[in-house]
Each structure stands twice: as structure tokens, then as C-alpha cells.
Amino acid sequence: MAGETKVKLRREVTPWGCFCWGYADVGADVYVALGLVMAAAQGATPLAFLIAGIVYIFVGLAHTELAAAYPVAGGGQYFTLRGLGDFWGLIAGAALMLDYTIDVALFAMASAGYINFFFPQIREYATTIGPFEGVNLIWMVQTLGLIVLLTFLNIKGIRESSLFNAILGAMDMVLEASIIVIGFAFAWNPEMFLQQWTNHFPSTYDLLYGVSIAVISYVGLESISQAAEETVRPSAVIPRTSLALIVAVVLFALLFPTLSLGVVPVDELAKREGDPVALLASRLPIVGFLAGPIAAVLAATIVLISANTGVMGYSRLAYSMSEYGLISPWLSYVHPKFRTPVRSILFFSAVAAIQAIFAFLSGKAMHTMANLYAFGAMLAYLMASLALIALRIKEPETPRPYWTPLNIRWNGRKIPIPGLLAVLGCTGMLIIVLWTHELARIFGPLWIAAWVGYYLWYRRQQGKSLFGSEVRDWDQQHLAVLQETGEWELLEQFKLQLERKSRQQKSASIRSAP
Amino acid sequence: MESEAKVLLNPHPLGVLIALSFVIILLVTIAWMLRVPQPLQQLAARAVFSVEQARQVIVPILDLSYWRADLESAYYTERAVELACRLVRNQEATIGLVYVVEMPRSLSLDAPLPEVQEQKMREALENARQIVRRHGLNWREEIRRCREADQGIRQAAQESQADLIVLGAAAGDRGFIGKFARIVDPLLRNPPCEVLIDSLPAPSPS
């Protein structure tokens, strides 16, 4: 904005903090998704998580390469913008924005719900507001209070909220790992697991529905991409944290349902969509008597840090989108003292709060939000996977600290097979989501259409091309980013590549001259 | 609350194995993640990556037969090929095997070479090819006739946009050193790209 000094986001996220940004999201997603998936996929719940996990691995590898090569805020939206152009960047941004705002609303709500495990009177409270009956006004106020708290933390600065994530992330990982270790070592019964797998195998439709819900367990990588602009030494840290997160997430996502089926009857688990992990924990030996309260505290904290990750995600995403002229630059303002994108945090926290209010009024909050969450995630991942392939073709000279493995040569370019599989997998998942989720079929495309409408209006106001892309000097921008991050290795590689490119162009022009 | 549920210790070997594997995999993964390698400083990074960036490498095979017929050039040029291959074998480089024939001014540049010299050229290129093939690198071959070897090398480097020239030199033969210096001196004074001279020590009297 005119007259305002451009202030950049500061780099203070450490490797553990970066890992926890992702883990916070994923850990909480497992808490929410396990019950929902179990209700649909029943005995085949581990299979549903496995299918979703395979697609996640391909997408994860693509994100790892992109986030390490382009360590700037925006994540999938930025990669898509750079690889496929402004319009598709907007679509990816809209899909991610849907996920982040829902993440904040849903997980703040869930966190308050788990706190209310200790206050049954609040949990049971209901009132009527105009035409809406059975509204839990206190729970709603608690949820809005948590959203305000997270908004404040994120405005105050990434250091505080990253520390918050790092401590709680570590606690939750230890507790989740303890449930798995104690469960498998002392309570897991393989015969029971096989029997439930065989006797409760679902129909194809239910399995696919379960798969489409299971994908919501795998959104954490996007958070690492979003934190890239604030990560210390991103080229070294991001590949490690991303790959470690892929391993950790796949382990937890596969072992929780496997353990559940070997400890608890599937019918009981299916009835406990809200707190399946608490039920599972209560059936463990040694720690079982404390399981209810522990699981409640554990869930309340981890879903809160997931909500915190959501605030961080949408604020950085909005910052990135306004920086690139997709939405108003008013949102990219960074507070001079806290160095955080204060306006985007406030604006989209308000959107999340409105979503939470509507969810409370609707009565089917969990299902509605899980549906839309899956739609947004798959659309964004599809765009990012396409962007990986496009950027391998368009920008082969960009130094990549991490290369997605298994490449085929095409026209002198390396095309990653996992990238192609990610595109196929995400397309398939998107079709499944649209087929099996009635609400996502309607509200998902409507959300995107609303963003496209705003985008077209805004671009027209600015006199910019509606469907074309603005001309940007990506090379200079990339050099500036690498300089600013102190990524000397990437910087020197990139400079040398640019020198080579310039030499080749000069030589080609000399040869073509008459 | 589910605390009233009856729970028995029921360890199963497979369950214990899964729990142990889980702990080990998780700990190893986190330990690997936290061991971030030390960064290079800017000048060190430039040094590392400028070497790593070499994609087109030229190894001139000098044929100075017209200048001195008894000169045996094979060993040190083949060594230069090996050296070049080792330098760039992890970076998908192409080795340009440039056979440089210095033609006397009394002959035209495209004058036919004597059969002995042709045979020598074929052998030299075949030896060089074998070395490059052994390293699994791409290569291209070129025969360049010129009046002055340094000019031939320079042109070959410019046309192929070479990043590096690796030139092998024999030592111990005073006559050759003089001639070689005449080739190398202009290349070093005004290098078309990075130039690496591999000069072998003089053989021991024994």
C-alpha cells in the first residue's frame, strides 16, 4: 500500500516447529476422521486409510520438492500460480482457503467439545434462537472464544504460536505414540482384527466414502509449505520435516485403525464418531482407568493446535494471494511491530467464526465440514501436483534441494512418476468425493464459484487480464528469496544456472543472426 | 467414562513386534529429521556449485604428428579423459572428445591424413570412448583440423558452450613442453571457459 513500508514475514520456525505445524494438523485429523471413517468403512478402515495414504505419499513427495525449491508463503496456491498461471492459482487458493477456514471452525469447536467432557452440564445445554432449535449457545461462545485466542496468538507473532505448537505437538505425539505402543504390546488381538476385517467388510460405496473421509487425515503437509517463508534454512529443513511427516502420518493413520479393530468391536467404535480415540484408550490395560480424562485433554489440545495451524495457514495464504494480485493488497499488510499479516488474520478468522456459527445452527456440523474439507483438500492437491509437473517443464533451471524420485525423460525434462500418480490419485479422489458427498457436490463448487466471481470482478477493476497471467520476473524474485533466506547453496546454483541460460540464449541469437 | 471396562494384559508376539517396529521407525525418523546438515557459506557454496555445474566438458586429444612424428600422446590424453569423467560423473555431463589435428600451413585444412595418422586417430578415439563408456557418461566426438591447436580448442569450446577443458600434458620431454606451453599459454591468458591442465611428473630415471 502507498505510504506503508513493506515488512516481510520473519524466519523463526525451527525444524521441530516446522514438523509440529504439520503434525498438529494431522494428529487432530486422525482424532476426528477415525470415527467417521470407521462408521463408513467398518472392518476395512485400515484399507481406507491405506488407499488414502498411498495418494498422500505421492502428493507429499510433490509438496516436499515444491516447498523446498520455492520457500515462500502460499503453499499449493503459490506453486499453482507459478506453474499454471494466475487463474488456476486462484482456484487452488480458494480450495485451500476453504480447508483452512473450516479447519479453524471445526477444530476450535471440537476442542471446546473435548473441554466440555469435564463439564457435562455445558455439553448437554441447548436453547432456541429464533427458528433454530437445540443450539448450544455456551459451546458456541467457547468456540468463538478459542478462535479469538488463536487470532490474538497469531497476530502477536509466529514465534509465540510456533512455540505453542512445538510444545503441544511434542506432548500429543508422545501420548498418541503411547496409546499405540501400549495397545499393540499388551492388548491387540490379531484374531479379533482378522475376524472384524472379514465379518464387517463394507460395500464398495461405503469403502469409497470411507476413503474420501480418510483423506482429511492428510492435510498437514500444506501447513509446512505455508510456513516455508518463516522457516529457518528452508532448503535443508523442509525436505527433512516433510519426509519425516509423511512417515509419521502414515504410521499413525494406519496403526490407529489397525489397533482399534484388534481391541474394540467395530460396532462400538462406529457409535462413537465423536471420541473414538477416547474409547480405544479406555480399553487399554495399565492406563485404561485414566483414559477418558487423558484422551479428552489430549484431544482438546491437539485439535486446538490444529485450529492454530489453520489460522496460520489462511493468514499466510491470503498474504500470498494478495501479494500476487489475486485478491486485494489490503490483505497483505504486515504489522510493523509483530511482522505478521494482521488484516488477513482478522478477516479470515471472522470467516471461520461465521462458519462455526452456521455449523452450530445447522445441527450436522461434523459431517458438513468433513465433506467440504475433503473437497477442498483434493482440489488443492490436484492443482499442486499438476504444478509440480508444469514447473519441471517450465523451470528446469530452478535448483531443487529435493527431487521427487523415479523420473522419466521427456523432451529433455525430468517428469516425476509420483507426480503423475498424484494427479491420477487426486482426480480419482475428487471424483469419489463428489460422488459420495452430497454437500460437497453442491457447496464445494459454490465456494469456488464465489471466489472466481470475486476474482473476475477484482481483476476487471484493476484493468488486469481476467484469465491470463501477469508478467512477473520470477527469476529475480527467486534470487531475492534465496538471498533473504541466506540459502547460499541454492542461490549460487541458481545464479550459475541463469548464467548458463543467458550464455545459451546469446549463443543461439548469434547463430540465428543472418 | 469407560474406566469400568475390564482390561486384561494380553500380549501377542505380533503386537509386540509392531509396537517395537513403530517406536524404532518413529525415533529414527525424528532423529534423522533433526540432524540438519550444516550450511555452506556463500563463497564456499559458489566454489562447490560452480564445479558441480559443469555439464559440457572438452578433452582435447592433441595430434601433433606433423610437428614431431615420434611424439606419443596417448597415455596422458587418456588420463585426462579419465580425470574429466571422474570429475563430472555425478552430474550428467557430456564429455566432448575433440581430436585436434594441427595441420602444417603447406597443406590445406581438409588435406587427407596419412593412413598411419588416421589409424592413430581411430585408436585414440576408441580408447577415449572406452573410458567414457565405462563411467556411463554421454559423449560426442569431433575431429578438428586447425593451424594452431589452441585456436582449435578454443573454437570447439565456444561452439559447444563448454564449461570445462581438461588438457593432459606429458612431462619430461623438453621439446614437447615447449610446444605444449605455446598451446596452453593463450588458452590460459584468455580462457573460453574453465581450463584444467593435468601435468604428469617426470618419470624417474629408473
Side-chain angles (χ1 to χ4, degrees):
Chain A
M1 284 178 81
E4 286 174 356
T5 312
K6 199 74 191 167
V7 185
K8 290 282 182 185
L9 300 172
R10 59 186 178 191
R11 290 190 181 267
E12 290 182 341
V13 179
T14 61
W16 181 250
C18 184
F19 177 78
C20 284
W21 276 121
Y23 186 77
D25 239 6
V26 175
D29 291 340
V30 170
Y31 272 94
V32 177
L34 183 63
L36 294 170
V37 178
M38 193 68 84
Q42 304 238 328
T45 301
L47 180 63
F49 275 101
L50 178 66
I51 295 170
I54 289 169
V55 176
Y56 166 77
I57 291 170
F58 295 138
V59 173
L61 294 175
H63 264 265
T64 304
E65 176 175 328
L66 291 169
Y70 305 99
V72 293
Q77 177 271 329
Y78 176 83
F79 311 142
T80 310
L81 172 82
R82 192 153 173 172
L84 303 174
D86 289 13
F87 181 74
W88 295 108
L90 180 275
I91 300 283
L96 284 170
M97 201 60 91
L98 177 64
D99 270 5
Y100 283 126
T101 49
I102 285 179
D103 186 84
V104 173
L106 176 64
F107 290 109
M109 186 192 304
S111 182
Y114 274 107
I115 292 166
N116 291 341
F117 174 87
F118 300 101
F119 308 103
Q121 300 92 329
I122 296 177
R123 203 171 57 212
E124 304 303 326
Y125 176 79
T127 188
T128 301
I129 304 173
F132 304 104
E133 291 178 3
V135 178
N136 190 331
L137 201 59
I138 303 175
W139 191 3
M140 189 166 86
V141 170
Q142 286 174 313
T143 303
L144 296 177
L146 286 176
I147 293 175
V148 169
L149 171 72
L150 295 175
T151 305
F152 170 76
L153 270 177
N154 279 273
I155 288 173
K156 188 81 171 41
I158 188 78
R159 181 173 51 190
E160 286 77 4
S161 47
S162 182
L163 183 65
F164 176 68
N165 266 10
I167 293 169
L168 290 182
M171 271 171 56
D172 282 317
M173 205 156 97
V174 168
L175 286 166
E176 283 193 8
S178 303
I179 292 174
I180 286 176
V181 170
I182 295 169
F184 271 105
F186 300 113
W188 190 64
N189 181 349
E191 287 82 20
M192 184 180 176
F193 171 81
L194 286 175
Q195 188 233 333
Q196 298 213 81
W197 176 286
T198 315
N199 296 344
H200 293 89
F201 205 87
S203 65
T204 308
Y205 182 89
D206 285 340
L207 176 63
L208 291 177
Y209 183 87
V211 171
S212 69
I213 295 286
V215 297
I216 74 169
S217 300
Y218 299 116
V219 187
L221 275 171
E222 185 58 35
S223 307
I224 289 185
S225 305
Q226 291 293 341
E229 190 156 335
E230 286 145 280
T231 302
V232 179
R233 293 191 55 220
S235 72
V237 168
I238 287 175
R240 282 174 181 258
T241 49
S242 294
L243 294 175
L245 188 67
I246 292 172
V247 174
V249 167
V250 171
L251 275 179
F252 279 104
L254 291 181
L255 291 182
F256 260 114
T258 308
L259 176 65
S260 304
L261 287 181
V263 176
V264 187
V266 73
D267 297 333
E268 280 186 54
L269 275 165
K271 282 181 204 155
R272 298 285 288 268
E273 286 184 3
D275 58 350
V277 178
L279 176 66
L280 171 65
S282 72
R283 296 299 168 87
L284 298 180
I286 306 165
V287 296
F289 71 101
L290 275 175
I294 288 175
V297 171
L298 171 64
T301 54
I302 197 159
V303 294
L304 189 64
I305 54 178
S306 179
N308 187 48
T309 310
V311 179
M312 182 264 186
Y314 62 57
S315 59
R316 274 58 180 174
L317 178 60
Y319 173 82
S320 170
M321 288 173 81
S322 58
E323 283 281 280
Y324 291 104
L326 305 184
I327 57 176
S328 167
W330 184 82
L331 286 163
S332 72
Y333 171 74
V334 175
H335 193 282
K337 184 178 171 193
F338 302 128
R339 299 186 71 180
T340 50
V342 59
R343 287 178 188 158
S344 57
I345 292 174
L346 286 171
F347 181 80
F348 287 101
S349 291
V351 173
I354 291 167
Q355 285 173 341
I357 292 168
F358 276 112
F360 273 105
L361 298 178
S362 77
K364 279 176 70 185
M366 294 281 276
H367 270 278
T368 308
M369 293 201 163
N371 275 229
L372 289 170
Y373 203 55
F375 172 83
M378 281 305 105
L379 184 57
Y381 282 160
L382 173 63
M383 290 288 137
S385 306
L386 285 168
L388 171 75
I389 296 165
L391 286 167
R392 282 282 189 97
I393 295 166
K394 280 171 73 176
E395 298 182 11
E397 68 279 356
T398 301
R400 291 163 165 82
Y402 172 78
W403 285 80
T404 303
L406 304 172
N407 295 279
I408 45 171
R409 283 252 170 216
W410 178 75
N411 219 5
R413 304 284 194 257
K414 285 183 185 171
I415 307 296
I417 296 172
L420 297 171
L421 293 173
V423 170
L424 285 177
C426 290
T427 308
M429 286 287 190
L430 200 56
I431 291 168
I432 292 171
V433 169
L434 291 173
W435 178 41
T436 57
H437 298 251
E438 284 175 22
L439 286 164
R441 201 157 48 222
I442 299 163
F443 290 106
L446 269 181
W447 171 273
I448 301 294
W451 274 84
V452 170
Y454 164 77
Y455 172 78
L456 295 177
W457 171 81
Y458 176 69
R459 299 279 279 205
R460 202 185 161 111
Q461 290 281 101
Q462 298 292 310
K464 292 175 182 168
S465 164
L466 297 185
F467 294 100
S469 299
E470 283 183 57
V471 178
R472 299 182 180 94
D473 191 343
W474 291 119
D475 289 345
Q476 280 308 316
Q477 193 202 78
H478 201 63
L479 283 172
V481 167
L482 297 177
Q483 183 87 41
E484 189 261 324
T485 53
E487 287 288 359
W488 307 124
E489 297 175 36
L490 290 188
L491 180 68
E492 292 305 327
Q493 278 185 71
F494 192 48
K495 276 184 186 169
L496 289 159
Q497 293 281 18
L498 290 180
E499 282 167 21
R500 172 191 297 279
K501 197 167 134 188
S502 149
R503 267 204 324 265
Q504 281 170 348
Q505 281 167 351
K506 213 155 113 185
S507 156
S509 66
I510 290 167
R511 272 202 293 266
S512 63
Chain B
M1 301 275 280
E2 301 288 332
S3 54
E4 69 277 8
K6 194 174 179 183
V7 178
L8 293 172
L9 277 179
N10 183 25
H12 189 283
L14 184 59
V16 174
L17 184 68
I18 293 174
L20 275 176
S21 310
F22 165 75
V23 170
I24 292 167
I25 295 171
L26 197 63
L27 288 179
V28 167
T29 305
I30 290 173
W32 170 80
M33 178 191 82
L34 294 175
R35 250 190 30 225
V36 180
Q38 286 297 310
L40 287 174
Q41 290 307 307
Q42 189 164 15
L43 283 176
R46 178 131 194 116
V48 168
F49 293 108
S50 59
V51 172
E52 205 176 280
Q53 289 289 315
R55 295 287 182 275
Q56 293 289 336
V57 181
I58 282 185
V59 185
I61 304 169
L62 300 177
D63 183 344
L64 308 175
S65 307
Y66 282 109
W67 177 74
R68 211 176 113 178
D70 64 327
L71 199 63
E72 184 52 66
S73 68
Y75 173 64
Y76 60 84
T77 52
E78 283 156 11
R79 216 174 161 283
V81 176
E82 173 67 19
L83 190 64
C85 291
R86 283 178 186 241
L87 273 173
V88 297
R89 68 180 159 191
N90 293 325
Q91 52 205 63
E92 297 179 4
T94 300
I95 305 286
L97 303 170
V98 182
Y99 195 87
V100 182
V101 188
E102 209 172 55
M103 301 289 284
R105 294 187 191 278
S106 55
L107 294 174
S108 68
L109 274 177
D110 55 355
L113 297 174
E115 182 50 37
V116 180
Q117 208 172 338
E118 286 273 2
Q119 178 64 24
K120 202 169 134 190
M121 179 179 76
R122 280 194 294 272
E123 278 174 15
L125 283 172
E126 176 53 30
N127 289 344
R129 230 178 355 242
Q130 274 182 16
I131 295 169
V132 181
R133 205 183 287 136
R134 195 166 162 270
H135 289 278
L137 291 167
N138 295 324
W139 78 89
R140 57 180 186 78
E141 291 172 15
E142 184 187 345
I143 296 159
R144 190 164 283 267
R145 294 163 178 236
C146 50
R147 300 294 180 202
E148 299 291 342
D150 64 284
Q151 285 301 323
I153 296 169
R154 181 181 299 281
Q155 279 167 9
Q158 281 166 344
E159 284 171 20
S160 63
Q161 293 175 19
D163 300 295
L164 173 65
I165 298 169
V166 180
L167 192 54
D173 184 319
R174 192 174 294 172
F176 177 78
I177 290 171
K179 172 67 180 169
F180 190 74
R182 191 171 59 75
I183 297 168
V184 168
D185 188 57
L187 279 178
L188 292 182
R189 279 181 194 280
N190 184 20
C193 60
E194 189 176 352
V195 180
L196 191 67
I197 311 292
D198 174 37
S199 178
L200 295 176
S204 64
S206 60

